[in-house]
Amino acid sequence: MSFSLDKIFTTHTALPKNVGVVEIDPNAALRPYVRCFWKYNDCPNVRELRIIPDCCADIIIPLDGSPSIFVGASDKSFVTPHTGNVFGIRFYAWAVAPFLHIGLKESFNGAVPIDYILNNFDRVQSAIIAADTTTRQVELAEKYLLELFDGKLCFDIMNGLYCAINDNCRITVKTLSDYCAVSKRTLERKFIDNIGISPKTMIDLLRYQLLWQDCIGRDFSSADSAYKLGYYDEAHMYNNFKMFHGITMSAARAEYAKLSRFYNTNK
């Protein structure tokens, strides 16, 4: 069993890189917990961004000095206008709890004030805003996170997700609880406390992410993906995708391809 789930699974957003957003990899110590640091610079060509469930949680720091927020894991997509410059810290949802001083139940599909979950964040926010380079902003964020980290990952969650990912998320919650040698109720409580969502929802989101990564690949086969990921049939797969992504799979693939071409030729 590996606690570095990032070595076997990573997450994807709806849009290709460089769509007004720069992503920076964390240092080695934070890599199992932080998906990336990111920075959005207000882009005249992109007034809206599609946000999809990416199995992550974010600290969002407006660079105009507005209050920072923590956005928890989500099972809903939405389109948001971006009208300002933002620095963000994107955590894997299963690995954010060791940095916080409260449970995550109230953050699911929502945002909470940063002071509710983190201590003394005003200081680091001010320093990040004042920093003159993105590199320096990342350094400040990394230093703060390493000071916060208490190492208290939930082994049952990490064991369960490792098993689910290796099974392409076809696993049931009952099988997952048996694998972790805990009751379903205990496993559900641990997921709610440490991620903010149930084991079933987490498995569904991971499977959706695997499907999204399949369908933006060059050799995508809907029949192969439906079989591999354990959907009842292709119709079930398409409906499940639309529920999470907000638009049909064909529309999502077209949007991705269009933006990829645009930003590959307009950098």
Side-chain angles (χ1 to χ4, degrees), residues 199-218:
K200 183 180 185 308
T201 300
M202 189 76 244
I203 293 169
D204 286 346
L205 289 173
L206 289 169
R207 182 167 67 162
Y208 154 72
Q209 268 287 313
L210 290 172
L211 175 58
W212 174 229
Q213 293 170 38
D214 271 3
C215 78
I216 59 178
R218 291 185 177 181

Side-chain angles (χ1 to χ4, degrees), residues 37-85:
F37 299 96
W38 56 272
K39 192 170 184 179
Y40 177 84
N41 294 312
D42 208 13
C43 179
N45 295 316
V46 179
R47 303 309 302 170
E48 294 181 333
L49 292 175
R50 184 177 302 281
I51 308 299
I52 62 172
D54 61 358
C55 303
C56 290
D58 291 76
I59 293 174
I60 297 178
I61 306 168
L63 296 179
D64 64 0
S66 300
S68 297
I69 58 173
F70 176 82
V71 179
S74 172
D75 64 354
K76 302 183 186 303
S77 66
F78 58 94
V79 176
T80 178
H82 275 252
T83 56
N85 298 330

Side-chain angles (χ1 to χ4, degrees), residues 138-172:
V138 169
E139 289 173 350
L140 290 164
E142 287 179 331
K143 182 176 184 295
Y144 176 75
L145 292 176
L146 289 171
E147 290 171 353
L148 284 178
F149 183 66
D150 67 9
K152 295 178 182 177
L153 280 170
C154 177
F155 286 3
D156 287 330
I157 288 177
M158 303 302 287
N159 268 317
L161 294 181
Y162 181 82
C163 178
I165 291 166
N166 277 296
D167 191 47
N168 285 318
C169 299
R170 296 170 298 185
I171 197 168
T172 66

